[in-house]
Amino acid sequence: MDGASPAAAAIVDRVIAYLDSRTVAACKTLNRMWYALATVQSARDIDCHIVQLPLRIAQYRRKDLLRHARSLTVDVSFVEGFLSPLGYERRTLDAAALLRDSAMPVLHLKVHAPGTHSALTDDEIRYGALALGSLVRALPGLGSLDLSECPAPLLTPASGIHLAGLVQLRRIKWFSLGRNDMSSAAALTRVVGANLHTLAWLDGRGDITDRTLRLLCDAPNLQRLDASGSSISDDALVALVRRRGSSLRELALSDCTRLTRQSIVQLTPRMLPRLVALDLYNVRVTTDAYQCLFNAHAPWPYLRDLKLKAAIPHASPREDSLANDDILEAIGRNCPRLVSLRLFGCRGTTDSGLSAVLGNLGYLRELVVMRHPVDPIGEDAPESAGAAASSQPQAPSAASDIWASVPAPPANALPQHSASERHAVQSPPSTAPSSPCPDEPADGARQQRIFTSHALRNGVRSQRFNLLNLDMTYDSVWAEHLAKLSHLHTLCGRMITRHAKSLIESQFPKCKMMVWNVD
């Protein structure tokens, strides 16, 4: 096939779409065809400040690249002293007008303001809201709108735009608020109602209400819903699952404090046959609700990402607050395509349950099984672990955030000493949990180490791990099994022996080991 033929150009154009910006810049030096296609690929994404947008549009018009623009990322932060307030307002309106007149086929808009803080000045709120409203009105054909990095004060009705521009949109397929808050659930409901027949992905977080869920029951293309931190009720969630469960692929319900067992037991493979990701972090249910999800005879054929943590009230902690061996065995049996599994607060799990997960899931890449959750829910949690956990965020933002899964320092974590020093500092055994002996750990420390080498009796079926975080001590037996893997990026735990550490370092020199103590 000729290197300059239309077929080769089509293949190169398809390949370039998956490359990062640095690689695309390097592709321009190969030949003329790669230069032309790489230039077009670079022109598809525009990233600039709102006052620089007219200059960028003029450059695109001069190079005849206006028809290739697809994505627009605009910084709307107000720079005090750069222009006078009147000049800044005029420049913003001119940029929006020029964007509208240029007829650029922009489908994706991301508005952000880096470096801003929660206490914005009146000018920052005013001109940021003006820029946001002008951009939205200038692009009526938007299909994707990302406001996850936009300051929350710009999204409130008091900012001056009253979200009128958002309501005028009629073709939104992907709408994201991220961790922001519109401070007006009615405004989000209006946006959803205006784009009901096209909306596919909705990240509304805390602004989603029961009224929004009832509207989404009539959304034929809904595939992803993120209602984390919202106050939705059981009845609204059950109604949505019964109407749109066959099309839902991702469902995030973390920190939904009003949800109970009544709605959680409805999240079954029969109701959600195409589900790919399920997030039930900090939901107030107990073990019997999760048994209804995974102990059923129907498997989860497409489930790839699973995150569970029960939010049991501190006043009445339960030893089986989240998962036991039966649940882990059911997960290993009924979720064959699982890639990421994160379980927190697993007080009732033993080597048998972990062995079922490791020995059955061949696609697993991230495994987190923690006895203690990120925030302490049990009365027997060590004070040091509780203090460390209270400073961590209650709900991790993303599945790839490994720092949210790092265990709190155990009560028996001691400074590293040499062999002679370790024998010199030994003291008679003490019953106090805060001062265990290094060679003879206290009962509390012995209870914390719930996993041993017996969990490897079925082997490790998956050969690649991006993250392995188990609340245990890694010994030589574990290290020998881990050394058989083809890839290990991050290893977390409470303790690791020196021989196991050297063995893993020799096999995976780039592996990040975040282990609290080396024995």
Side-chain angles (χ1 to χ4, degrees), residues 221-234:
N221 300 316
L222 184 64
Q223 297 183 8
R224 186 185 192 277
L225 174 63
D226 190 346
S228 302
S230 64
S231 58
I232 58 177
S233 63
D234 291 328

Side-chain angles (χ1 to χ4, degrees), residues 76-310:
V76 298
S77 59
F78 174 71
V79 183
E80 188 175 1
F82 179 72
L83 290 174
S84 64
L86 183 61
Y88 192 91
E89 181 177 356
R90 186 184 300 110
R91 185 75 64 88
T92 301
L93 296 177
D94 291 344
L98 186 59
L99 180 63
R100 180 177 58 253
D101 297 338
S102 63
M104 299 174 65
V106 176
L107 299 178
H108 311 284
L109 174 62
K110 180 178 181 180
V111 180
H112 68 104
T116 58
H117 46 84
S118 57
L120 299 179
T121 63
D122 294 339
D123 288 339
E124 290 175 335
I125 296 177
R126 175 187 175 186
Y127 295 112
L130 174 65
L132 174 60
S134 302
L135 289 173
V136 172
R137 286 190 291 267
L139 300 171
L142 278 179
S144 172
L145 180 59
D146 186 359
L147 303 178
S148 59
E149 298 181 8
C150 189
L154 304 186
L155 305 177
T156 60
S159 62
I161 62 171
H162 298 286
L163 301 174
L166 297 181
V167 178
Q168 293 177 1
L169 301 176
R170 292 292 188 272
R171 303 177 182 177
I172 292 292
K173 297 182 180 179
W174 190 83
F175 183 70
S176 174
L177 285 176
R179 290 185 175 272
N180 283 329
D181 185 4
M182 277 186 170
S183 299
S184 175
L188 179 61
T189 303
R190 293 174 59 192
V191 175
V192 172
N195 301 272
L196 195 59
H197 298 287
T198 59
L199 192 64
W201 287 36
L202 175 61
D203 294 349
R205 300 296 178 101
D207 282 319
I208 294 182
T209 60
D210 290 351
R211 183 182 177 185
T212 307
L213 291 188
R214 294 189 185 96
L215 283 177
L216 292 175
C217 291
D218 298 327
N221 300 316
L222 184 64
Q223 297 183 8
R224 186 185 192 277
L225 174 63
D226 190 346
S228 302
S230 64
S231 58
I232 58 177
S233 63
D234 291 328
D235 296 337
L237 179 60
V238 171
L240 177 67
V241 170
R242 290 178 178 176
R243 290 287 302 275
R244 296 301 164 194
S246 59
S247 61
L248 277 178
R249 299 182 62 84
E250 297 185 24
L251 184 61
L253 302 173
S254 63
D255 294 300
C256 293
T257 56
R258 294 183 60 191
L259 297 182
T260 62
R261 184 182 186 277
Q262 177 184 352
S263 59
I264 299 301
V265 296
Q266 299 291 330
L267 307 179
T268 60
R270 184 176 64 86
M271 302 296 294
L272 302 167
R274 302 180 60 190
L275 196 66
V276 175
L278 178 62
D279 185 357
L280 295 178
Y281 189 91
N282 266 352
V283 180
R284 293 183 179 276
V285 290
T286 51
T287 304
D288 54 349
Y290 294 115
Q291 288 176 346
C292 297
L293 300 185
F294 303 105
N295 284 345
H297 296 289
W300 294 87
Y302 301 106
L303 191 62
R304 295 170 57 87
D305 190 351
L306 178 61
K307 181 189 294 185
L308 302 177
K309 173 182 176 291

Side-chain angles (χ1 to χ4, degrees), residues 347-385:
R347 297 172 180 268
T349 53
T350 62
D351 293 335
S352 178
L354 182 60
S355 178
V357 171
L358 291 174
N360 294 332
L361 301 180
Y363 295 96
L364 204 59
R365 297 293 180 269
E366 297 180 357
L367 177 60
V368 179
V369 182
M370 300 297 299
R371 176 181 175 87
H372 294 283
V374 176
D375 55 331
I377 61 174
E379 294 179 347
D380 59 343
E383 295 181 0
S384 60

Side-chain angles (χ1 to χ4, degrees), residues 47-59:
D47 188 354
C48 63
H49 196 275
I50 182 66
V51 297
Q52 298 174 339
L53 188 58
L55 179 60
R56 187 64 59 88
I57 294 177
Q59 293 175 349

